Amino acid sequence: MNILNKNCDISIFGGHGDLSFRKLLPSLYYLFKDKYLGEKSRILIISRKDISSEDNIILIKNKLKEFVEKEYFTEECFNKFKEMLYVIKVDFSNTNSYLVLKNFYKNSKNEDRINYLSTSPEFFPSICKALSEYKLINDNSRVVLEKPIGRDLESSQDINKEVLKYFDEKQIFRIDHYLGKDTVQNILALRFSNRFIMPLWDSSNIDHVQITVSESVGVEGRWGYYDQYGAMRDMIQNHLMQLLCLIAMEPPCSLEANNIRDEKVKVLRSLRTINARNISENTVRAQYKAGISEGKSVPGYLEGEGVSQSTTETFAAIKVDIDNWRWNGVPFYIRSGKRMQQRNSEIVVHFKEIPHSIFNDNDEHIAQNKLVITLQPKESIKLCLLGKVPGLVENMKLQEIDLELHSATNTNRKNEAYERLILDVINNDPTLFMRLDEVDEAWKWTDSIIQGWSDNLVPMKNYQAGTDGPTAAIQLIAKDGRSWHE
Ligand code: BG6
């Protein structure tokens, strides 16, 4: 369902924030360049900054030059794109300042209005309330909420309850940009369009699953935000949970948004609770110390900011059990950390060993087959199989052979996840967005771990920046006789 050239007003609240500069505006620029935005669309940068239109254009031009791939930024395209850009000063804590926005909309012919809330979640309710008070919400309005929504189930429910006073559930797009990544969507295609995968996808054939999202960067000037959230709330509650759901869900009866969301929510409800009884054997939390990252010395999490104390984790590893028929006895090991050795996000499905080997000449035991779905740094999907070493040399010596799935692409540029998702909001397609009950269930599960950590039931470990995380994470999986895929 791609309705091209739809004219709409897209207001970015927090328009001068990091996410807007790095991802939202570059994605809108790409969409404009590729003719997905209607010519009469308008992009409203809503910010607390006092800045003239001219200076705003210069600022955005510089940011686009920094964050758009070099060969795609052209003066000619920017000169057309800038015609869509407007800057409006709104102070979120002062309702009167929304009057400017009201005046701006007065003569608007665009019925479709997208309010992208790229602010701290505590502002979501007041922004929605002000939009309603100024009668800036119509039937074609949508609101996009950036993750994480709240810091726990309670605050998330409070925020969602407020937003729902002004927007219907179908107008709310809760974004998790991992769902906009092509390879993540490819999980659905791979699982549900290939016959041979279907009978293999359960506990009789799969030994365990690993999900890793590691980043080499630190908190990149976002300490104020990050220290309130940590790896659990920033990454696990949303990105890693969504990946886990796509791997573990039952086949939906169609691609329709609610059918997919129904299946994801069932997975979240089947997650075995981790609480005081089992938290110490199933979770690891850690913070990075100074080290060498990508050839440079980098300070530790605390040193960088000159603070002496913080119990925020920059790394988390968890053994997750899914209590349902399909996944009984198949652990999902998930981990995510900042300042790790390399940027690497992947899902590895480890199949069980063959029941009996006839290849006696192989000194080592036969490797397990693996399906490796890599999201970063380079998206790919490969199936690791075994085959014979070619030639006369050795009789039936086995070697690992990778079968790679290269997705055919009609463009040289890899789309940003946000391009896909913004386009879906424009086209009113909620399939890749989280429904309220998904967010609630994900919080319920993470809350009890966060509680156990704040009760100090699991010691905070350290790891050196630029490494693979704490040794406790290696032990977490090693005690089950397994190891992380490197
Ligand atoms: C964001 C987190 O949601 O995802 C960041 O807030 C993190 O802390 C980022 O760096 C990672 O996204 P990606 O697409 O680069 O893996």
Side-chain angles (χ1 to χ4, degrees):
M1 181 188 73
N2 272 349
I3 306 158
L4 304 186
N5 300 318
K6 194 168 189 173
N7 292 320
C8 53
D9 286 343
I10 305 171
S11 306
I12 308 177
F13 291 79
H16 284 144
D18 192 57
L19 180 72
S20 175
F21 289 144
R22 279 175 190 273
K23 298 289 179 190
L24 306 182
L25 289 167
S27 298
L28 285 163
Y29 174 86
Y30 287 132
L31 288 175
F32 170 78
K33 193 169 174 24
D34 293 342
K35 306 208 179 334
Y36 283 101
L37 289 187
E39 280 175 6
K40 298 208 171 74
S41 292
R42 301 184 302 175
I43 299 167
L44 284 64
I45 317 278
I46 300 184
S47 157
R48 279 185 273 198
K49 232 190 192 135
D50 240 331
I51 185 169
S52 68
S53 295
E54 294 72 30
D55 288 346
N56 180 55
I57 299 289
I58 296 170
L59 173 67
I60 289 177
K61 182 173 179 180
N62 289 335
K63 292 291 179 186
L64 288 180
K65 277 184 164 169
E66 191 179 343
F67 295 114
V68 164
E69 284 178 39
K70 267 203 174 51
E71 61 271 42
Y72 293 95
F73 184 89
T74 65
E75 291 288 334
E76 192 194 346
C77 183
F78 180 75
N79 285 338
K80 289 185 195 144
F81 180 65
K82 77 176 184 197
E83 298 301 319
M84 287 185 175
L85 298 176
Y86 298 84
V87 63
I88 294 190
K89 185 181 173 206
V90 175
D91 177 353
F92 304 140
S93 52
N94 172 10
T95 339
N96 293 336
S97 67
Y98 284 81
L99 201 57
V100 200
L101 193 58
K102 171 127 187 117
N103 289 336
F104 180 85
Y105 274 125
K106 239 180 206 153
N107 305 319
S108 175
K109 293 203 175 62
N110 294 336
E111 274 294 298
D112 285 84
R113 290 183 188 167
I114 295 170
N115 299 286
Y116 198 120
L117 309 195
S118 169
T119 64
S120 165
E122 78 221 41
F123 293 115
F124 294 175
S126 62
I127 295 173
C128 295
K129 184 166 185 246
L131 289 174
S132 161
E133 278 173 5
Y134 280 89
K135 304 210 172 354
L136 296 174
I137 303 176
N138 63 21
D139 288 349
N140 293 321
S141 293
R142 275 81 103 187
V143 64
V144 184
L145 308 181
E146 257 301 330
K147 54 108 321 223
I149 303 178
R151 291 188 73 251
D152 50 24
L153 178 63
E154 195 185 344
S155 54
S156 164
Q157 285 183 330
D158 287 348
I159 293 169
N160 278 301
K161 208 160 101 196
E162 283 303 306
V163 174
L164 276 160
K165 283 186 186 161
Y166 311 107
F167 290 91
D168 287 343
E169 176 66 24
K170 65 176 184 339
Q171 295 176 294
I172 304 175
F173 290 74
R174 298 181 191 85
I175 204 162
D176 180 322
H177 78 274
Y178 266 55
L179 294 179
K181 291 182 192 273
D182 232 25
T183 308
V184 175
Q185 291 160 57
N186 223 340
I187 297 173
L188 291 178
L190 186 75
R191 283 197 57 199
F192 303 124
S193 68
N194 293 295
R195 173 82 205 197
F196 84 97
I197 299 246
M198 188 187 78
L200 297 179
W201 211 256
D202 63 18
S203 60
S204 40
N205 291 293
I206 293 177
D207 179 69
H208 74 282
V209 178
Q210 298 182 13
I211 303 178
T212 298
V213 178
S214 66
E215 298 180 88
S216 53
V217 292
V219 291
E220 305 295 282
R222 294 160 74 224
W223 204 88
Y225 154 79
Y226 192 85
D227 200 53
Q228 296 293 310
Y229 289 81
M232 194 68 179
R233 295 180 171 100
D234 184 48
M235 300 295 288
I236 306 251
Q237 190 268 349
N238 32 79
H239 301 328
L240 278 88
M241 280 295 107
Q242 287 295 321
L243 297 180
L244 182 142
C245 284
L246 293 176
I247 294 292
M249 68 195 255
E250 295 299 314
C253 59
S254 79
L255 273 184
E256 204 266 314
N258 276 331
N259 291 330
I260 293 186
R261 292 150 144 198
D262 285 346
E263 297 307 332
K264 285 198 289 173
V265 109
K266 282 188 209 160
V267 175
L268 293 166
R269 289 193 187 126
S270 311
L271 299 181
R272 188 176 304 165
T273 307
I274 297 184
N275 54 22
R277 267 184 301 112
N278 55 0
I279 193 164
S280 60
E281 71 250 31
N282 289 315
T283 72
V284 172
R285 58 175 178 150
Q287 218 176 53
Y288 66 82
K289 293 188 300 185
I292 310 282
S293 173
E294 295 178 333
K296 282 193 212 125
S297 299
V298 292
Y301 178 66
L302 297 180
E303 295 155 40
E305 298 299 318
V307 287
S308 57
Q309 237 199 334
S310 164
T311 51
T312 300
E313 75 289 348
T314 59
F315 175 95
I318 304 169
K319 178 181 171 185
V320 186
D321 286 294
I322 303 176
D323 288 329
N324 64 18
W325 276 39
R326 186 183 287 270
W327 298 113
N328 178 41
V330 182
F332 281 59
Y333 300 93
I334 65 176
R335 60 178 173 164
S336 179
K338 296 232 180 249
R339 279 277 183 247
M340 304 277 285
Q341 192 173 29
Q342 54 185 350
R343 181 171 192 239
N344 175 38
S345 301
E346 65 179 17
I347 302 166
V348 186
V349 179
H350 289 252
F351 290 90
K352 290 195 163 158
E353 284 180 8
I354 48 169
H356 166 70
S357 173
I358 54 169
F359 301 97
N360 295 332
D361 282 356
N362 288 272
D363 344 306
E364 294 162 27
H365 73 283
I366 308 251
Q368 288 168 292
N369 293 138
K370 284 177 292 224
L371 176 70
V372 183
I373 302 169
T374 309
L375 314 178
Q376 263 141 209
K378 202 169 164 284
E379 299 190 48
S380 76
I381 298 182
K382 67 180 185 195
L383 193 56
C384 307
L385 302 174
L386 289 163
K388 177 188 169 296
V389 174
L392 302 176
V393 267
E394 288 183 77
N395 198 12
M396 273 301 187
K397 179 102 182 140
L398 301 181
Q399 65 175 356
E400 222 175 90
I401 297 168
D402 295 343
L403 207 61
E404 283 220 41
L405 189 80
H406 286 284
S407 54
T409 165
N410 53 5
T411 141
N412 295 328
R413 185 175 64 79
K414 199 86 204 126
N415 294 110
E416 284 281 348
Y418 279 96
E419 279 177 75
R420 156 90 275 144
L421 296 172
I422 293 174
L423 197 57
D424 284 355
V425 180
I426 295 174
N427 290 337
N428 234 330
D429 179 355
T431 311
L432 298 176
F433 296 81
M434 290 177 289
R435 203 171 55 190
L436 180 58
D437 51 356
E438 280 181 74
V439 180
D440 283 356
E441 292 298 333
W443 274 126
K444 261 185 220 163
W445 183 79
T446 32
D447 270 4
S448 70
I449 299 177
I450 293 170
Q451 183 60 49
W453 286 355
S454 67
D455 292 344
N456 255 323
L457 301 178
V458 177
M460 176 69 84
K461 303 282 182 188
N462 287 314
Y463 60 102
Q464 235 181 338
T467 64
D468 281 336
T471 44
I474 299 172
Q475 286 153 7
L476 176 82
I477 189 166
K479 65 178 191 259
D480 294 340
R482 303 178 173 114
S483 59
W484 292 105
H485 179 254
E486 301 304 341

